[in-house]
Amino acid sequence: MKLRHGKPLGLMIALLGWLSTVAAQEPAMALVGGRWFDGERFVATTKFVEAGRFVARRPTGPVTEIDLRGRWVVPPYGEAHNHWLESDPVAVDAYVQHYLTRGVFYVKDQGTAPVVRQPITARLNRPDTVDYLAANQGFTGPGAHPLQIVRQMQAVGCLPAEWGMEHIDGEVVMIVRNLEELQARWQRLLTGKPDFVKVFLLYSEVHAERSGRAAYRFRCGLDPELVPHLVKRARSHGLQVSAHVYSAADFRGAVAAGVNQIAHMPGVGFDAELGIEHFVLTAEDAAAAAAAGVSVITTIGAAIEDDSEPERDDYVAKVLKPNVEVLRHAGVKLLIGSDMMRRTTDVEAMWLHRLGLFSNLQLLRAWCIDTPRDAFPDRDIARFTPGAEASFLVLEGDPLAKWSNTGAITLRVKQGRILLPREVPFPILQPR
Ligand SMILES: [Zn+2]
């Protein structure tokens, strides 16, 4: 982009930075020559911004005019499933810069510990950083997923190494065997002020056989019969519930129990011992999710990159593709989430594109409209109409014509403020 009066962009940015410091309010902007994504197509038009929001008319008073020179403008991207498990300030800065650089402004953390979350919240949810919400401690069973991940986090110093199970249960995850334990852990969860509730279901159809057996350590989750009780408590506190699922039975049970969100596409977490038919959704499953307004997060890239998954082409063709298609056909909202530590949804979207699971239009809409709005449903975001937050990315090329243009970001604006992220390296994780 270029300024109308020929001032170099660097000068304009310096000026904007100065203005925002002095005035504590973003300067008004006129954005000319851009093509703006409306969820279907790019529309050439002029947009105006004042006090961090789009406005219908050119603001009175000084206006900074930016010529977008025919470039493509999209809402910032979202990340529906990740875990920011590091509270070290250097790591937090690395997360923020990594996400902002890739245009990912909205993050839903599907499970963390208050001890990790509390120190980082002051650095998030402001105009110059990432907007973040989190489930805090997820509910699972004894010896179940994700306790192996908790142990890994301890091993690299992200959680206190001296913590035994009596700390982990309550501080990091909620381990629950029955209703009494559920009630006690529920009260504990509330003290950490979660934004939503996470429950771990794994292979519900064989939960009773597997639970407590060493051979299935970490390959089981919460007793599926407890999920409706958890949903009831969450609802009474106005909290949504997100369910980790692996099998079709997990999905079915979670939807029937009244959860709001499914955190993985069934088939992610494939278990060869059960066979493919345990992972394929039916049209009835998809219809039930659609009728209840349940959204489903993809997290497919992580499964594809994981060598333990079965023969990739077969797995994609017989499990993942049919599941994506049956959900889409039923009208279920598909959200983009990566579940990749220290990475984000640019990688997930690349995989969804490469595997041919989404068209460019479907993928763009899910990534920059549906995913951000799911995370922050009460905010006016992911559109460019008067009153909406003035947050957007300017792309060098048309992402509907060539997917890699989603990464060719030449300008990032959040709530009327130009962001200039600079990637910084993540600290090296040291096994102790
Ligand atoms: Zn996860």
Side-chain angles (χ1 to χ4, degrees):
M1 66 289 328
K2 205 176 117 219
L3 280 181
R4 180 61 58 87
H5 305 297
K7 289 183 200 118
L9 184 63
L11 176 65
M12 182 196 71
I13 286 159
L15 180 67
L16 288 181
W18 177 77
L19 277 174
S20 61
T21 320
V22 176
Q25 190 183 326
E26 311 312 327
M29 291 181 193
L31 300 147
V32 302
R35 300 182 235 204
W36 300 74
F37 184 56
D38 70 359
E40 294 290 336
R41 60 189 67 79
F42 285 89
V43 181
T45 183
T46 296
K47 297 282 180 188
F48 301 105
V49 172
E50 190 173 28
R53 292 188 180 264
F54 288 104
V55 291
R57 275 171 214 85
R58 175 178 276 271
T60 52
V63 173
T64 303
E65 189 158 307
I66 300 176
D67 186 353
L68 300 176
R69 304 179 74 179
R71 290 191 175 90
W72 290 261
V73 190
V74 296
Y77 310 130
E79 162 67 279
H81 188 149
N82 213 298
H83 306 273
W84 286 23
L85 298 170
E86 297 168 80
S87 56
D88 167 9
V90 176
V92 178
D93 193 38
Y95 276 90
V96 169
Q97 301 304 323
H98 184 91
Y99 278 59
L100 294 180
T101 302
R102 285 155 184 77
V104 180
F105 290 6
Y106 311 103
V107 183
K108 202 163 174 179
D109 188 324
Q110 295 272 345
T112 182
V115 70
V116 175
R117 181 187 179 167
Q118 260 150 17
I120 74 175
T121 42
R123 307 168 65 88
L124 305 171
N125 300 311
R126 296 186 314 235
D128 61 341
T129 179
V130 163
D131 292 338
Y132 169 97
L133 74 173
N136 297 3
Q137 310 99 311
F139 286 79
T140 192
H145 181 84
L147 288 168
Q148 76 282 23
I149 296 167
V150 175
R151 290 300 196 194
Q152 287 166 12
M153 299 318 294
Q154 280 188 296
V156 294
C158 296
L159 291 168
E162 65 277 12
W163 277 5
M165 204 46 76
E166 72 284 1
H167 275 100
I168 290 168
D169 176 17
E171 298 279 356
V172 190
V173 288
M174 302 301 195
I175 301 175
V176 164
R177 295 165 188 80
N178 52 48
L179 265 180
E180 294 76 67
E181 290 181 353
L182 180 69
Q183 183 56 27
R185 295 294 182 283
W186 176 256
Q187 292 306 327
R188 180 78 179 270
L189 178 78
L190 292 179
T191 63
K193 296 192 169 37
D195 295 304
F196 63 105
V197 177
K198 178 74 178 291
V199 53
F200 290 91
L201 289 178
L202 286 85
Y203 320 113
S204 301
E205 63 271 48
V206 290
H207 176 82
E209 293 111 275
R210 287 189 172 188
S211 166
R213 289 177 59 190
Y216 296 103
R217 198 163 163 74
F218 312 132
R219 289 164 67 197
C220 52
L222 182 69
D223 179 350
E225 300 203 349
L226 293 170
V227 180
H229 299 281
L230 195 53
V231 170
K232 200 173 112 195
R233 282 168 178 76
R235 277 194 189 151
S236 72
H237 285 83
L239 294 169
Q240 296 216 332
V241 180
S242 174
H244 170 293
V245 308
Y246 277 161
S247 69
D250 297 334
F251 181 100
R252 216 164 280 146
V255 171
V259 309
N260 307 90
Q261 183 156 77
I262 299 288
H264 295 287
M265 183 65 60
V268 168
F270 181 79
D271 184 332
E273 204 180 309
L274 293 173
I276 267 179
E277 65 282 5
H278 281 252
F279 296 90
V280 179
L281 297 173
T282 65
E284 291 72 40
D285 295 332
V294 174
S295 56
V296 178
I297 302 170
T298 54
T299 71
I300 283 171
I304 292 296
E305 289 186 5
D306 178 354
D307 288 340
S308 69
E309 298 303 338
E311 184 59 40
R312 181 187 290 175
D313 292 350
D314 222 32
Y315 172 56
V316 172
K318 292 182 179 162
V319 180
L320 297 178
K321 200 161 204 280
N323 283 349
V324 167
E325 281 171 358
V326 78
L327 292 171
R328 180 181 291 136
H329 184 73
V332 172
K333 200 146 272 182
L334 300 176
L335 307 177
I336 312 303
S338 73
D339 200 20
M340 291 174 169
M341 190 184 176
R342 292 184 164 189
R343 299 164 83 190
T344 188
T345 37
D346 58 322
V347 184
E348 175 69 10
M350 179 276 290
W351 276 114
L352 296 173
H353 177 261
R354 190 183 288 183
L355 296 171
L357 298 173
F358 285 68
S359 70
N360 288 17
L361 178 60
Q362 287 164 338
L363 193 48
L364 187 63
R365 197 191 288 143
W367 195 19
C368 71
I369 297 179
D370 296 338
T371 302
R373 282 193 193 153
D374 166 77
F376 297 98
D378 299 331
R379 283 168 56 180
D380 195 353
I381 55 173
R383 58 178 172 178
F384 307 129
T385 45
E389 293 181 22
S391 301
F392 55 89
L393 308 171
V394 178
L395 307 179
E396 190 66 48
D398 180 357
L400 298 181
K402 189 173 165 216
W403 183 252
S404 61
N405 283 324
T406 53
I409 305 171
T410 61
L411 181 68
R412 298 157 185 81
V413 174
K414 185 157 181 271
Q415 291 160 294
R417 180 187 295 218
I418 293 178
L419 301 184
L420 298 169
R422 281 181 49 189
E423 283 214 72
V424 292
F426 284 96
I428 294 165
L429 289 172
Q430 295 283 8
R432 305 197 289 210

